[in-house]
Amino acid sequence: MLFEESLLYEQSVQGRSGVDIEEVQLTQIQTGQPIREHIGLPEVSEPQVVRHFTRLSGQNYSIDTNFFPLGSCTMKHNPRINEKVARLSGFANIHPLQNDETVQGSLALMFELEKWLSTLTGMHKTTLNPSAGAHGELTGAMIIKKAHEAKGNPRKIILVPDSAHGTNPATAAMCGYTCKTIPSNKKGLVDLEAFNSAIETYGNDIAAFMLTNPNTCGLFEPNVKIISNKLHEIGAYFYCDGANFNAICGKVKPADIGVDVMQFNLHKTFSTPHGGGGPGSGPVSVCEELAAYLPVPYVTKLKDGPFKLITENKTSIGRIRTFQGQFGMFVRALTYMKSHGINGLTSASENAVLNANYILSHLQENYNAPFNKEKGVYCMHECLFSEKWQKEHGIGTNEIAKALLDNGIHPMTVYFPLVVNGAMLIEPTESEPKEVLDYFIQTMKNIAKEVQSENSKEKFSNSPSKTFRQKLDEVQAAKNPKVTYEML
Ligand SMILES: *Cc1c(COP(=O)(O)O)cnc(C)c1O
């Protein structure tokens, strides 16, 4: 049973404390008030704090409690061995400003993680610095920009397909580029004619093409080599958004299909925590030609053995954040890689693809799968449905998503990618057993049956009704959000 939870500020009682803080020497601090009162922290006991956060955690939906098929997000299980290793004192209790000699083990770990990532992409070198996927994209775009400038040939345009994640055009724009959109064809893939004509029109003004592969329709781009060859012919770079790498890890080396730059999302492919449980981490691999521009700092191994953090490099784009990156995530990601081995990583990708196709094959009997109708067109690690079927029955994708909540399932990604109206993008990941997939499929089929029943419209307009918070006024939430707490 879940109850409303008051804020710690509302539970605060003057003078109550969970820790004994030494009397503050007012002569040393010029505020004139004890520091706790001055910054207005809630005054609560330790048991109050423990209960507060334990109760709040019960209101949270997470991969640790239920199925979370959020497309393009790879919400896979976070193995507990990762957490155990990350908590080892030598990793958990160090400071980024320590001298290299005192953190050799941690530098060795970063060096090894970089090697694993470079091996998986088949590329020359990898930076671990970026703090998330989008930050990795920005780092990659800055590297591309610097490389063109170094050749004395600054360029203005980045090509982006219309199925791209919103961060791709945002990244290009932040880096000062103009975006040109390449439409998708009827099969959900890059429209080659449109791509070729953009190459002809903009030619040497094109800095790069940013492509997510497999793309956000869950499809592997079959013309990827034609695309990369064309780009290289005009001296442009091929940027691959690697957020969907979980579909091909160990199966495809991006370098082999002509990719010059790719970001990883460690919090997707390599099982480090997501969202509120993050932080994220977005390492970037680059080809040999671009390696000189990678950001600092990075770890190198000196001839006589020790590891050293290199903090300056004349050709580098410089620093993109404080310190070395999300070190705790490096520990978790490398633990995941080493505990699986290359064969384990490969079979994780195979099972992720198998699970998505299992769902696709069952649900395309009920819902409209726009790109898989022809026999033999499989999906990669996620499957995509449109709004067509439910619209014909007077219901939208949003209602399906809310009905899932009433069945204890987190909705899939909805209304993305934009190339499909009312999209439902489902990514089960490899961590789910068949029973969970079957429960999800059965629930979606039950919902489809209800959609066809008489008074379905009314029923769907009231869901979710079984969740802690029921149907929200989403228009108000979007237009009039109250994001600060007003103390009474
Ligand atoms: C998740 C995602 C991103 C952004 O990654 P963040 O780590 O959330 O910044 C970019 N592109 C695609 C295709 C994604 O799925």
Side-chain angles (χ1 to χ4, degrees):
M1 186 72 148
L2 293 171
F3 296 97
E4 285 297 340
E5 181 65 22
S6 56
L7 300 175
L8 282 181
Y9 284 100
E10 291 165 339
Q11 297 178 31
S12 179
V13 174
Q14 203 181 1
R16 190 171 286 171
S17 170
V19 279
D20 294 325
I21 301 174
E22 254 180 77
E23 254 329 288
V24 180
Q25 295 294 321
L26 293 184
T27 49
Q28 289 168 6
I29 293 177
Q30 300 303 314
T31 61
Q33 274 185 327
I35 196 152
R36 184 148 30 98
E37 281 171 34
H38 181 67
I39 57 174
L41 291 176
E43 298 181 71
V44 285
S45 69
E46 182 174 311
Q48 273 182 301
V49 174
V50 170
R51 284 186 180 161
H52 176 70
F53 286 108
T54 307
R55 285 192 297 246
L56 278 184
S57 75
Q59 294 180 9
N60 197 17
Y61 192 102
S62 73
I63 190 67
D64 287 347
T65 48
N66 288 81
F67 186 43
F68 210 136
L70 201 61
S72 209
C73 290
T74 315
M75 304 296 287
K76 62 167 77 177
H77 172 63
N78 312 136
R80 292 313 187 259
I81 179 94
N82 298 358
E83 299 303 319
K84 189 171 177 186
V85 177
R87 279 165 179 70
L88 293 176
S89 175
F91 292 136
N93 297 328
I94 54 173
H95 192 278
L97 289 177
Q98 271 179 241
N99 290 336
D100 290 355
E101 308 87 76
T102 66
V103 287
Q104 282 292 304
S106 297
L107 296 181
L109 180 138
M110 288 168 66
F111 191 79
E112 186 171 354
L113 175 61
E114 200 236 279
K115 288 277 168 287
W116 270 82
L117 296 172
S118 299
T119 304
L120 288 171
T121 51
M123 293 203 208
H124 191 69
K125 205 163 163 25
T126 302
T127 172
L128 302 178
N129 294 170
S131 312
H135 196 203
E137 291 171 34
L138 183 65
T139 306
M142 287 166 72
I143 289 170
I144 287 171
K145 192 170 195 187
K146 184 122 187 179
H148 283 303
E149 283 169 3
K151 288 187 199 162
N153 179 16
R155 298 182 174 208
K156 298 195 219 67
I157 290 170
I158 288 198
L159 306 178
V160 182
D162 59 357
S163 61
H165 195 264
T167 52
N168 292 179
T171 292
M174 257 194 94
C175 218
Y177 285 111
T178 304
C179 268
K180 297 287 175 196
T181 307
I182 307 295
S184 301
N185 62 20
K186 281 202 186 99
K187 293 179 172 172
L189 304 164
V190 172
D191 182 333
L192 263 192
E193 259 177 52
F195 173 78
N196 286 335
S197 107
I199 294 274
E200 267 173 40
T201 312
Y202 306 114
N204 289 349
D205 267 345
I206 300 171
F209 181 44
M210 287 181 97
L211 178 74
T212 309
N213 195 28
N215 70 14
T216 56
C217 301
L219 303 169
F220 191 87
E221 180 60 60
N223 296 318
V224 69
K225 284 203 89 163
I226 298 174
I227 290 170
S228 61
N229 287 340
K230 271 262 149 86
L231 291 165
H232 294 151
E233 273 169 28
I234 59 157
Y237 293 105
F238 183 21
Y239 184 101
C240 178
D241 179 331
N244 290 341
F245 196 59
N246 201 48
I248 57 170
C249 183
K251 306 290 284 185
V252 178
K253 286 189 172 186
D256 291 346
I257 51 174
V259 173
D260 301 303
V261 193
M262 186 189 102
Q263 108 275 353
F264 293 93
N265 299 52
L266 296 188
H267 45 292
K268 293 179 181 173
T269 311
F270 300 109
S271 80
T272 70
H274 246 215
S281 181
V284 175
S285 285
V286 297
C287 63
E288 189 163 6
E289 190 179 316
L290 295 175
Y293 309 109
L294 283 168
V296 285
Y298 54 86
V299 179
T300 194
K301 194 170 191 295
L302 300 178
K303 276 214 178 72
D304 51 348
F307 294 93
K308 184 170 162 50
L309 199 63
I310 304 293
T311 54
E312 284 189 37
N313 168 7
K314 270 197 221 119
T315 55
S316 160
I317 58 166
R319 276 186 185 268
I320 52 156
R321 52 160 292 147
T322 52
F323 303 129
Q324 293 85 319
Q326 308 285 21
F327 180 75
M329 299 306 130
F330 303 161
V331 182
R332 288 170 176 83
L334 188 63
T335 304
Y336 176 79
M337 292 171 178
K338 295 187 82 153
S339 58
H340 281 69
I342 186 61
N343 291 339
L345 294 180
T346 308
S347 73
S349 284
E350 288 168 350
N351 286 321
V353 172
L354 182 63
N355 280 357
N357 278 289
Y358 183 69
I359 291 177
L360 173 67
S361 68
H362 282 284
L363 291 188
Q364 64 187 356
E365 294 165 8
N366 303 80
Y367 297 90
N368 177 251
F371 304 127
N372 306 91
K373 268 172 281 170
E374 299 152 55
K375 214 173 167 226
V377 177
Y378 298 99
C379 64
M380 295 297 289
H381 64 309
E382 53 193 354
C383 53
L384 179 65
F385 296 90
S386 81
E387 195 166 41
K388 187 163 175 272
W389 183 83
Q390 53 269 36
K391 268 272 138 118
E392 283 164 10
H393 293 83
I395 293 271
T397 285
N398 202 37
E399 280 73 33
I400 308 253
K402 301 298 180 199
L404 277 176
L405 284 169
D406 273 339
N407 288 278
I409 295 174
H410 194 285
M412 63 292 270
T413 291
V414 292
Y415 300 96
F416 174 81
L418 304 177
V419 290
V420 168
N421 283 337
M424 301 192 287
L425 185 63
I426 302 166
E427 180 180 3
T429 83
E430 72 281 7
S431 15
E432 299 299 339
K434 183 169 175 293
E435 306 85 77
V436 172
L437 303 182
D438 285 337
Y439 174 70
F440 173 70
I441 290 165
Q442 196 50 54
T443 304
M444 285 292 285
K445 284 182 181 287
N446 292 346
I447 291 172
K449 213 178 271 171
E450 282 177 47
V451 167
Q452 288 166 297
S453 72
E454 287 261 308
N455 52 0
S456 69
K457 241 188 158 155
E458 194 188 332
K459 179 164 186 280
F460 280 99
S461 68
N462 287 329
S463 58
S465 58
K466 296 186 204 146
T467 48
F468 181 57
R469 289 269 178 269
Q470 277 126 46
K471 193 167 178 76
L472 302 177
D473 185 341
E474 293 188 7
V475 176
Q476 276 300 312
K479 287 196 167 169
N480 223 350
K482 265 196 174 177
V483 292
T484 50
Y485 172 66
E486 284 157 25
M487 194 92 83
L488 293 175

